[in-house]
Amino acid sequence: MIDWKYLFRIAAVATAIALAALAVVPSFPARLSAENISPVASQGNEQIIRITAKRFEYMPNKIKLKKGVAVILNFTSLDRHHGFNCPGLGIRADIFPGQANNVRIVPQKAGTYEFHCDVFCGGGHEDMSGEIIVED
Amino acid sequence: MFNGMDRRDFLKLIGLGAAVIVMETGNFASAADKTIAQDTLTFLQLSDTHWGFSDPKINPDFAGTLKKAIAQINGMKSQPDFIMFTGDVTHTTDDPKERRKRMGEAREIIGSLKSKNIRMMPGEHDAGLDNGEAFQEYFGKTHYTFDYKGVHFIVVDNVSDPTSSIGDTQLQWLSAEMEKLDKDSRIVIFTHRPLFDLYPQWDWWTRDGAKAIDILTPYKNVVVFYGHIHQENHHMTGHIEHHAARGMLFPLPAPGSVPKRVQLPWDSTQPYRGVGFRSAVPKTDGYGYVLTEFPIIKA
């Protein structure tokens, strides 16, 4: 006999744990500019954008965001220590293998913002870049 | 006498149709008009030789450009007091054995300079993947000081930490070194990366460079020479001058002038365009330096 109440309780607990994991107090030093970023706590319903770093690329390397809409950038590295630096949006993060890092942002200004790896990682380091496009 | 540029050397360069610019911290002047006391300090800055780089589309003479520069320097009537290499002596490689091979080859080529007073420091291509281990084996310390003819020189390493940082330990060392000096001492700082935020979008900065500038700012007579960006750039932070040198192998675009920071391709109509080295001579009023840019001359 299935105990539906018990199953619902387990599902509720699992959901709460998952949301808590996404409650994004950035787990790395992130520089947040007052102009473009709202460094407020996660509301739990943001879109999560997974960004994978490996020598010498980010996947994806073009990220489209909506002005004023909160998202969580979820960083992981497949090989070694990389950086994520987007000076136009005031975001910088260290990305280590086996360690997911999250940052919540609310872009406040439309535009194209370049990002790049700022931790020297070898011969193609200078090419490791991408852009965040914030649309109205 | 070699003083920034020997007059005959200069005329020879002009005769070869080479473009030479002499800059006196903001004021452009003719090299031939310069008269500099013979006992004046003169040093050369060579930067970003990238030994081991081998893309012929960018520089088909990748194995010969440094040797040409050395031949030019050795051919000068008088030799500089010292020659400073401001980093990226070698082009990066993942293979530690190959890295050391490149270091050894570069050391041998540089050893053919007539002047034996050579000062080295790393760039991120030399030191960023092994925290400067191979570089130190071949060229010695990555941060140090020395004095010459009344000028105090400080070499600051902002590349052995791959995060473009000087680091708190070295900053404390820098602070302690500065405290030994009078506030009006003549001080030259050599770094690879710019200490200020030249263009962080292209990683043309030092993450904790502002802390170094804060340490330097109380001193009246500080000039910073750096490399990394493969082009001349002259900038002031307060009263501190920052002068970037050309690279020795290929130029890079002006900061932010194009969407991507890519090496500028070889132009066969203007070979060695945008590459070269420079001399620096203290101005006679005691502040700033007369900079002379030397292009590479096709042998």
Side-chain angles (χ1 to χ4, degrees):
Chain A
M1 181 87 180
I2 297 169
D3 184 345
W4 290 104
K5 272 188 188 169
Y6 181 67
L7 278 182
F8 276 127
R9 202 171 298 153
I10 287 176
V13 169
T15 306
I17 289 170
L19 288 173
L22 293 174
V24 190
V25 176
S27 53
F28 51 84
R31 240 178 28 212
L32 300 171
S33 87
E35 185 189 358
N36 279 310
I37 304 295
S38 298
V40 294
S42 169
Q43 305 301 309
N45 55 357
E46 298 91 344
Q47 184 191 358
I48 298 169
I49 297 173
R50 299 189 195 286
I51 301 168
T52 305
K54 70 170 186 180
R55 299 193 331 158
F56 302 102
E57 59 180 331
Y58 296 98
M59 293 168 294
N61 63 3
K62 268 195 184 177
I63 298 159
K64 284 194 178 175
L65 303 180
K66 281 272 179 206
K67 182 181 152 187
V69 177
V71 295
I72 290 167
L73 304 180
N74 170 269
F75 299 104
T76 51
S77 168
L78 297 181
D79 48 23
R80 50 157 290 145
H81 181 193
H82 291 286
F84 181 94
N85 193 346
C86 183
L89 287 173
I91 308 166
R92 109 138 292 284
D94 286 303
I95 313 173
F96 294 100
Q99 193 180 316
N101 289 325
N102 297 314
V103 65
R104 179 181 187 271
I105 66 167
V106 187
Q108 301 295 317
K109 199 173 167 185
T112 299
Y113 302 93
E114 195 183 338
F115 61 81
H116 64 273
C117 176
D118 65 357
V119 176
F120 186 75
C121 57
H125 167 72
E126 283 90 351
D127 303 323
M128 190 166 168
S129 61
E131 57 190 25
I132 293 176
I133 300 153
V134 180
E135 295 172 326
D136 276 319
Chain B
M1 177 74 186
F2 179 94
N3 277 310
M5 175 180 273
D6 180 274
R7 184 183 173 89
R8 272 169 296 188
D9 288 339
F10 175 74
L11 294 172
K12 190 175 156 196
L13 290 178
I14 293 296
L16 288 166
V20 178
I21 295 169
V22 173
M23 182 182 161
E24 193 171 342
T25 38
N27 300 312
F28 290 86
S30 157
D33 294 339
K34 297 273 165 226
T35 310
I36 299 161
Q38 293 197 348
D39 59 351
T40 305
L41 167 77
T42 302
F43 66 86
L44 297 186
Q45 182 188 9
L46 278 70
S47 203
D48 298 271
T49 52
H50 284 268
W51 184 257
F53 177 88
S54 57
D55 184 346
K57 291 190 201 91
I58 302 299
N59 185 338
D61 190 24
F62 53 79
T65 305
L66 173 59
K67 291 172 186 170
K68 283 183 177 63
I70 288 175
Q72 276 176 246
I73 295 165
N74 284 345
M76 289 174 167
K77 292 279 183 274
S78 294
Q79 292 298 297
D81 290 292
F82 68 88
I83 299 172
M84 181 78 213
F85 284 77
T86 47
D88 283 356
V89 180
T90 60
H91 196 68
T92 193
T93 167
D94 290 345
D95 180 356
K97 226 172 168 182
E98 174 65 19
R99 185 176 306 130
R100 283 167 174 79
K101 180 171 168 275
R102 291 179 187 183
M103 298 265 176
E105 289 169 352
R107 186 172 64 180
E108 196 178 329
I109 295 163
I110 290 166
S112 68
L113 278 161
K114 205 183 272 181
S115 167
K116 295 305 169 198
N117 197 353
I118 312 293
R119 308 282 173 166
M120 305 296 292
M121 64 178 299
E124 78 282 4
H125 277 255
D126 305 305
L129 292 184
D130 67 359
N131 302 111
E133 191 183 314
F135 183 90
Q136 289 179 59
E137 286 170 24
Y138 283 81
F139 298 112
K141 288 181 180 175
T142 62
H143 66 276
Y144 54 93
T145 68
F146 60 99
D147 291 278
Y148 225 94
K149 291 186 177 174
V151 181
H152 190 67
F153 296 90
I154 304 179
V155 177
V156 174
D157 173 3
N158 52 5
V159 296
S160 291
D161 178 339
T163 66
S164 326
S165 302
I166 300 166
D168 288 344
T169 304
Q170 196 186 169
L171 284 166
Q172 283 165 17
W173 168 82
L174 175 63
S175 187
E177 286 298 319
M178 295 300 289
E179 279 169 19
K180 294 176 193 168
L181 304 172
D182 293 332
K183 289 287 186 288
D184 57 356
S185 298
R186 298 183 75 156
I187 300 160
V188 166
I189 306 292
F190 290 117
T191 67
H192 180 66
R193 295 171 167 277
L195 287 179
F196 63 97
D197 286 4
L198 171 59
Y199 198 66
Q201 292 89 332
W202 287 359
D203 209 18
W204 287 359
W205 71 325
T206 299
R207 199 184 294 187
D208 51 4
K211 290 182 184 173
I213 291 172
D214 284 348
I215 293 168
L216 302 174
T217 296
Y219 296 81
K220 290 181 204 163
N221 195 344
V222 180
V223 178
V224 181
F225 290 89
Y226 67 101
H228 189 55
I229 67 165
H230 293 236
Q231 63 196 285
E232 273 185 81
N233 188 284
H234 308 281
H235 181 82
M236 302 290 290
T237 55
H239 61 280
I240 299 174
E241 298 177 14
H242 302 256
H243 301 292
R246 296 177 188 186
M248 285 287 296
L249 208 52
F250 53 82
L252 288 169
S257 59
V258 290
K260 286 249 174 198
R261 170 197 47 183
V262 289
Q263 298 143 352
L264 296 178
W266 181 261
D267 180 350
S268 58
T269 65
Q270 301 174 75
Y272 308 103
R273 176 191 55 159
V275 301
F277 57 95
R278 72 156 51 118
S279 69
V281 178
K283 287 170 70 179
T284 48
D285 69 1
Y287 288 87
Y289 286 76
V290 178
L291 305 180
T292 306
E293 304 296 335
F294 289 75
I296 303 297
I297 304 294
K298 197 176 176 182

